[in-house]
Amino acid sequence: MCSHRKETELPSSSRNRKRREKAQRRSVNLLTILGCIAGAFCLVVVLACVVGATWLMGLPDYSGISSYANTGITTIYANDRETVLAKLYLENRIEISQDEVSEYVLEGTVATEDERFYEHGGIDPIGIARAVIVNAASGGTSEGASTITQQLVRNTVLLDEMTDRSIRRKVREMYIASQVERQYTKDEILMMYINVVNYGDGCYGIEAASRDYFGKHASELTLSEAALLIGIPQSPNAYNPREHMDKAMARRAVVLQRMLSNGYITQTEYDDALNDTPVLSDQTLDDETISDIAPYFIDYVRKQLDEDERFPATIIAHGGLSVYTTLDPSLQEDANTAIQEGVRYNDENFDAALVSVDPDTGEIVAMVGGRDYATNKFNLATQMSRQAGSAFKTFTLLSALNEGMDPDNTYVESASPVQIGKDWTVSNSEGHGYGPMSVSDATRSSVNTVFAQLVHAIGAQKTIDAAQACGIKSTLVQDDTVTLGTSGVNPLEMASAYATIANGGYYHEPYAVTEIVTAGGETVYTHETEPGKRTLSAAVAQKATDILETVISSGTGTGASLSNGQPCAGKTGTSEHGRDLWFCGFTPQYSTAVWAGYRTERETGLYGGTICAPIWRSFMNAALAGKPIEQFPTTSEKISYKPARTWDFTKDVTIIGGDDEDPSESSSSSSSSSSSSSSSAASSSASSTSSSSGGNEKPDPEPAPDPGGDEKPASE
């Protein structure tokens, strides 16, 4: 065996030759691979250079100091494109020098935004590496890598590319940042940055922010105040202390911690500042010129230009624009007069708001956000969230029509009070009931107990769906009380929602800006008029309009009847104890919502029909003066009605009260009142639940509650 193995073995020289050949082949393969890698690397470098050079073509001018200080007065016009509503800096900018700002601001900005600012040349490789590691570990983008110099470039020279998230934009930004570092000192760059960065509330630059939030110069800021402002630029809207103080304070804590860890403040200073609560100024930084005709509308437009993604924020920030709006100056004057006249007999703290939109387009033609802009700039027309009261019953009516309910021939018991389920007890005005009532009559007279049973039988979600389809965007209460307006809404969305009914079922997003033109004449934004989104069938919109016309002609909204005979429709609303008063109504030309009450919620004892309906009437009479009468749109479509027995109005319903023998007499005590019911019905517990007969059939004789009197809030 051994001798045989030796005979088959190759000589050592042959084996060595084979090994050498194999090693040579491996060397050749390795060299080939390395050569390919080197070639590929060179190709990548070449391509990167070519691409990089291409990316750097067409760079904006970054050589002059003016490139880092954007200014320009913007003019806002009415819909006639001539009437000047405002001349203002869309961004309040006040440039200051280094000796005019608190050291806390300078040190805190560096510690928070770019702690290696004085060590790098505009680009921070260490910061980039750290950001990559942190973001990889967190699975997000929690850590940024942009230096202060890069942010300066992004907010000025490359402002037009700010929203571009591509590598190309980043390369351009980094290149210019490196050049800026060669042109200016670190202190100059830092001052340029804090003079242009967005501090929220329309303020650009630390001096404007300091005056706006604290009513003092930037040189006078305390550590606590400075830290609060330093934290804002990361997210100017989210960290605006006027709107989100809790988030702003949390961000301030981060700023203070970074100032401490970087040695800019002591532990004692940190502790004292952390325990201090900054007090904001009541007065914001004034604009140059704002017409007193529509100050709340201007604020609304300005806020949209500053925050709305539909507008090119990168262009807006340059200023020097002509902004054309939807506001009709004549209608605005009418709205101002109607509000002032409507509240003149109430105390000085009683307030009101009005919004009117064109149903066919969504154009906001008039907006009043309060009786006195000088004393309170909070816009009640767009920023508040208050209960709609019975003005919200309209959406339950729409849901019933959508479901195929015949409002003229479906009857529901109107006894007062009634208990829905175990926990909700609902009453009518003065506690009166009128026997079985048709849904149409219950809408005309705004009967709480009928609508409570109606929404319970159909489902609260159907009311919510109808409201949202019409344009209500506020969060809505997810239970039966939604029909009585327990959710907070604002006049703008209510005017828009009722406009959907007015135009035959098409929803148009309300808008205020039609066009934006730069100082050089370039149109950078044009509102694209769309045909509208059908959210209601034409038949449903028409039937709802017919019923809501009776609210004004013979129901709770008689105070809104127009003097020229123009067809009109609407609904009154009064929240619990009269805290919120409403009238929402429309003609073919305009949909208008009016709210009245106190900015700080309190009882008024008043009704929407006695306050808001006359304001609506005053405005609409003036708005329509001299204009031809128009008719609501009609359709040959028909609603496919279902039998009344389709719905069980007795399920989980307990009739507690009874019906009045003489409805007319029983409601005469409130005959001077012409508003709707409350929104917030009081809840109470009951030990038992029983059913009483529902109103599926027409009674004999037909009940006839006095339409002149409005129901009292359910819990009163």
Side-chain angles (χ1 to χ4, degrees):
M1 292 291 291
C2 290
S3 62
H4 178 74
R5 184 170 66 247
K6 289 180 179 179
E7 289 176 357
T8 59
E9 288 179 352
L10 294 173
S12 62
S13 59
S14 297
R15 290 197 302 270
N16 290 337
R17 187 175 64 254
K18 293 278 187 184
R19 293 191 185 101
R20 286 195 299 271
E21 291 174 352
K22 190 175 183 179
Q24 288 173 353
R25 287 195 298 270
R26 286 199 300 266
S27 296
V28 172
N29 291 338
L30 181 60
L31 290 172
T32 301
I33 294 171
L34 292 175
C36 290
I37 293 174
F41 178 77
C42 292
L43 181 62
V44 169
V45 171
V46 171
L47 289 174
C49 292
V50 173
V51 172
T54 303
W55 285 349
L56 295 179
M57 294 177 61
L59 287 173
D61 180 27
Y62 55 84
S63 60
I65 192 73
S66 61
S67 300
Y68 307 97
N70 298 315
T71 59
I73 295 178
T74 287
T75 304
I76 299 180
Y77 295 91
N79 67 348
D80 58 9
R81 303 177 71 87
E82 296 181 357
T83 302
V84 176
L85 300 176
K87 288 187 175 182
L88 46 79
Y89 290 102
L90 284 175
E91 302 158 351
N92 287 309
R93 313 169 200 252
I94 305 173
E95 291 195 13
I96 55 175
S97 58
Q98 190 169 346
D99 60 356
E100 296 176 296
V101 62
S102 166
E103 284 294 319
Y104 292 130
V105 173
L106 302 175
E107 296 169 349
T109 299
V110 172
T112 304
E113 299 293 336
D114 187 3
E115 61 183 7
R116 287 175 35 80
F117 175 67
Y118 289 100
E119 302 171 24
H120 61 66
I123 305 167
D124 186 11
I126 295 176
I128 294 173
R130 181 183 64 246
V132 170
I133 295 171
V134 171
N135 292 332
S138 65
T141 56
S142 58
E143 186 78 9
S146 294
T147 65
I148 285 176
T149 313
Q150 288 177 257
Q151 293 181 57
L152 172 64
V153 171
R154 188 187 312 142
N155 281 278
T156 53
V157 179
L158 292 182
L159 190 62
D160 294 346
E161 303 176 23
M162 182 182 286
T163 58
D164 183 359
R165 303 296 183 184
S166 67
I167 297 177
R168 173 184 177 275
R169 196 271 299 164
K170 198 69 177 180
V171 169
R172 290 161 67 86
E173 175 189 296
M174 294 171 72
Y175 176 79
I176 297 176
S178 66
Q179 300 303 307
V180 171
E181 292 271 348
R182 297 178 181 180
Q183 293 178 273
Y184 303 101
T185 68
K186 287 289 188 179
D187 288 345
E188 288 174 332
I189 294 171
L190 181 58
M191 284 306 303
M192 285 191 288
Y193 172 76
I194 67 170
N195 270 325
V196 301
V197 71
N198 184 0
Y199 287 94
D201 221 35
C203 300
Y204 284 68
I206 192 64
E207 178 70 8
S210 182
R211 294 191 195 181
D212 181 87
Y213 290 113
F214 299 115
K216 61 173 64 175
H217 294 291
S219 60
E220 302 169 329
L221 290 170
T222 66
L223 173 58
S224 173
E225 295 166 341
L228 188 74
L229 298 185
I230 292 167
I232 296 175
Q234 186 185 62
S235 182
N237 294 329
Y239 295 132
N240 183 337
R242 292 196 184 278
E243 299 183 7
H244 308 288
M245 178 57 84
D246 55 339
K247 294 181 180 180
M249 291 291 283
R251 177 62 180 167
R252 187 196 68 156
V254 174
V255 174
L256 291 171
Q257 179 58 52
R258 292 184 179 178
M259 292 182 73
L260 176 64
S261 62
N262 281 275
Y264 288 114
I265 58 175
T266 66
Q267 184 67 50
T268 300
E269 289 177 307
Y270 169 82
D271 293 337
D272 290 343
L274 195 64
N275 293 322
D276 178 68
T277 301
V279 179
L280 300 180
S281 171
D282 293 331
Q283 298 295 321
T284 61
L285 193 64
D286 291 331
D287 298 312
E288 287 198 356
T289 305
I290 297 180
S291 169
D292 59 4
I293 184 178
Y296 289 104
F297 179 78
I298 295 302
D299 269 3
Y300 176 72
V301 170
R302 180 172 179 171
K303 191 175 184 67
Q304 284 207 313
L305 294 177
D306 193 41
E307 301 177 1
D308 199 316
E309 295 180 352
R310 294 176 300 174
F311 303 111
T314 57
I315 300 293
I316 299 298
H318 284 298
L321 306 173
S322 293
V323 179
Y324 299 98
T325 72
T326 60
L327 191 91
D328 186 314
S330 177
L331 296 184
Q332 183 63 34
E333 291 283 10
D334 295 336
N336 291 337
T337 300
I339 290 294
Q340 295 300 326
E341 289 294 314
V343 300
R344 70 185 188 280
Y345 296 118
N346 303 91
D347 69 71
E348 61 182 10
N349 294 318
F350 189 82
D351 222 322
L354 181 152
V355 175
S356 187
V357 303
D358 185 331
D360 293 327
T361 63
E363 294 180 358
I364 302 171
V365 296
M367 177 184 292
V368 181
R371 65 190 294 180
D372 188 1
Y373 180 80
T375 59
N376 201 318
K377 294 178 173 58
F378 183 83
N379 192 342
L380 295 170
T382 63
Q383 293 179 290
M384 77 169 182
S385 179
R386 299 290 282 269
Q387 294 187 357
S390 287
F392 218 81
K393 288 175 182 173
T394 296
F395 305 114
T396 298
L397 172 65
L398 291 174
S399 73
L401 295 172
N402 286 334
E403 291 298 297
M405 184 180 293
D406 184 347
D408 299 323
N409 295 295
T410 301
Y411 288 79
V412 183
E413 176 59 54
S414 68
S416 175
V418 300
Q419 182 176 301
I420 310 295
K422 296 181 178 181
D423 301 320
W424 189 30
T425 300
V426 188
S427 300
N428 296 325
S429 174
E430 308 294 339
H432 301 306
Y434 314 109
M437 296 185 69
S438 72
V439 173
S440 294
D441 284 339
T443 304
R444 174 173 59 88
S445 298
S446 198
V447 180
N448 286 352
T449 58
V450 171
F451 273 85
Q453 295 170 80
L454 192 61
V455 73
H456 187 68
I458 297 175
Q461 188 58 49
K462 297 295 177 62
T463 292
I464 294 172
D465 292 343
Q468 293 174 338
C470 288
I472 299 297
K473 299 186 183 300
S474 296
T475 301
L476 302 176
V477 176
Q478 300 286 324
D479 60 41
D480 290 345
T481 63
V482 69
T483 190
L484 299 185
T486 54
S487 299
V489 293
N490 63 59
L492 175 58
E493 58 185 336
M494 290 295 281
S496 177
Y498 274 69
T500 303
I501 308 171
N503 67 31
Y506 288 96
Y507 171 69
H508 293 272
E509 185 80 22
Y511 69 98
V513 177
T514 59
E515 189 177 35
I516 300 173
V517 181
T518 67
E522 179 187 1
T523 300
V524 293
Y525 172 81
T526 301
H527 178 80
E528 295 182 4
T529 303
E530 299 178 352
K533 179 182 179 182
R534 177 167 288 287
T535 58
L536 297 173
S537 73
V540 166
Q542 179 174 294
K543 186 58 181 178
T545 300
D546 292 343
I547 296 172
L548 294 176
E549 283 188 273
T550 70
V551 172
I552 295 178
S553 64
S554 60
T556 61
T558 54
S561 179
L562 299 178
S563 58
N564 69 344
Q566 169 63 57
C568 54
K571 187 71 184 74
T572 51
T574 307
S575 71
E576 188 177 18
H577 303 297
R579 290 184 175 92
D580 299 287
L581 314 173
W582 292 83
F583 187 84
C584 304
F586 55 89
T587 66
Q589 301 93 333
Y590 305 113
S591 177
T592 305
V594 179
W595 171 91
Y598 291 94
R599 289 175 176 265
T600 302
E601 290 189 51
R602 64 188 250 199
E603 299 176 10
T604 68
L606 302 172
Y607 298 98
T610 56
I611 298 295
C612 296
I615 293 175
W616 187 92
R617 171 189 169 94
S618 175
F619 167 72
M620 295 294 282
N621 272 335
L624 296 171
K627 296 181 180 178
I629 291 176
E630 296 185 21
Q631 303 300 320
F632 287 116
T634 59
T635 180
S636 59
E637 291 182 19
K638 302 295 182 183
I639 301 174
S640 182
Y641 290 130
K642 301 174 183 177
R645 62 178 178 272
T646 303
W647 298 272
D648 183 2
F649 298 107
T650 67
K651 185 179 179 181
D652 299 326
V653 175
T654 303
I655 303 298
I656 300 174
D659 302 327
D660 295 303
E661 296 182 0
D662 188 349
S664 215
E665 181 181 349
S666 66
S667 61
S668 63
S669 62
S670 58
S671 61
S672 63
S673 193
S674 306
S675 72
S676 84
S677 71
S678 83
S679 69
S680 187
S683 298
S684 64
S685 297
S687 59
S688 63
T689 301
S690 62
S691 296
S692 66
S693 59
N696 290 336
E697 301 296 331
K698 182 176 180 179
D700 186 20
E702 182 176 321
D706 182 1
D710 189 16
E711 58 277 289
K712 182 179 178 183
S715 62
E716 290 187 332

